[in-house]
Amino acid sequence: MKSDSTKDQVSRRGFLGVSSAALVATVGGLSAAGAGGRRQQVNARATNDRSVTDPGPTNTALDAQNPDSAWPPGTDSKSLVPNFKYPFSFANKRTYEGGWSREVTVRELPVSKSMAGVNMRLTAGGVRELHWHTADEWAIVLYGSARITAIDRDGKSFVADVKKNDLWYFPSGIPHSIQGLDPDGTEFMLVFDDGNFSESETVLLSDSMAHLPPEVLAKNLALPTSL
């Protein structure tokens, strides 16, 4: 025969066990309902509120990727939350003989005031010529391999070969170039710490030389002006 204290302990264990099981079941139910909960709510509303229906043509794939835009949650009933993504698939490509580039800046994604992104492809031998800009640049190689070069503030040069998943960083004002290597060049993602940055507004070496007086170039390159 068990004592009263033993009965109390058994009762407490039983109660805790039942409570834990109920809690797990409840959390599991919430998790299961989370994925389709909002859709069920919308469907329920649609039976009584014609404003929730969407009989016209839709892009089902995009709607599925952006459920909170297609049917905003109750916390965004006035749809005042800005968009937080803009796929590169929507960005126009600038094509060249040696590759292409496309960018997403604050113009395409107004919420991104402190960051801009550029997706670039260089074929084997394709070169992003020596250039520099006012924004810092981070990069990750997505495909293939490339050769990067840079000149630091002390005039020392740097050359390195990078491959998929490698990273690089160039501070603002540091001249650098990128070249796609054999067998199929490279593709990489660039991130800049300025939402207004545009790849088309970088300062290229050829542009700089074209706007400098010949005597200034000759003096810096130790060459005669006749060249």
Side-chain angles (χ1 to χ4, degrees):
M1 185 173 180
K2 297 178 181 178
S3 65
D4 291 340
S5 59
T6 303
K7 290 180 181 179
D8 291 341
Q9 291 175 3
V10 171
S11 299
R12 282 196 293 270
R13 285 199 195 99
F15 175 76
L16 290 174
V18 171
S19 300
S20 300
L23 179 60
V24 170
T26 302
V27 172
L30 289 174
S31 299
R38 185 157 54 253
R39 186 178 294 108
Q40 292 174 359
Q41 292 175 6
V42 169
N43 291 338
R45 286 177 55 198
T47 60
N48 301 315
D49 184 356
R50 287 180 296 173
S51 65
V52 183
T53 60
D54 188 1
T58 60
N59 189 320
T60 305
L62 280 178
D63 285 349
Q65 295 174 23
N66 305 275
D68 286 342
S69 295
W71 296 110
T75 53
D76 185 27
S77 59
K78 296 183 179 180
S79 298
L80 298 178
V81 176
N83 291 324
F84 283 91
K85 66 179 181 178
Y86 184 93
F88 273 99
S89 296
F90 289 171
N92 293 328
K93 283 190 176 81
R94 299 179 63 201
T95 58
Y96 318 89
E97 291 185 8
W100 51 259
S101 67
R102 54 186 177 179
E103 64 183 17
V104 175
T105 70
V106 72
R107 294 184 300 277
E108 294 80 22
L109 187 61
V111 73
S112 184
K113 301 182 185 304
S114 60
M115 185 180 298
V118 174
N119 179 207
M120 185 174 290
R121 161 84 162 128
L122 295 174
T123 57
V127 179
R128 182 69 172 103
E129 71 169 279
L130 193 72
H131 64 283
W132 54 95
H133 32 71
T134 57
D136 291 354
E137 173 184 310
W138 290 262
I140 180 170
V141 181
L142 304 174
Y143 169 83
S145 57
R147 178 162 296 159
I148 57 175
T149 64
I151 303 173
D152 66 19
R153 291 185 173 88
D154 295 323
K156 297 178 181 179
S157 60
F158 168 84
V159 180
D161 290 350
V162 292
K163 60 185 184 302
K164 183 178 179 179
N165 295 328
D166 282 347
L167 312 171
W168 73 71
Y169 166 69
F170 295 129
S172 63
I174 295 295
H176 56 280
S177 67
I178 313 163
Q179 180 178 14
L181 299 178
D182 289 330
D184 192 31
T186 185
E187 182 178 350
F188 47 89
M189 181 68 69
L190 304 172
V191 179
F192 301 90
D193 63 347
D194 180 0
N196 288 293
F197 176 85
S198 175
E199 173 66 19
S200 61
E201 297 174 359
T202 56
V203 182
L204 305 177
L205 178 61
S206 57
D207 288 340
S208 179
M209 294 180 68
H211 289 84
L212 288 173
E215 58 273 16
V216 174
L217 284 175
K219 183 176 181 180
N220 278 273
L221 299 176
L223 295 172
T225 55
S226 58
L227 294 179

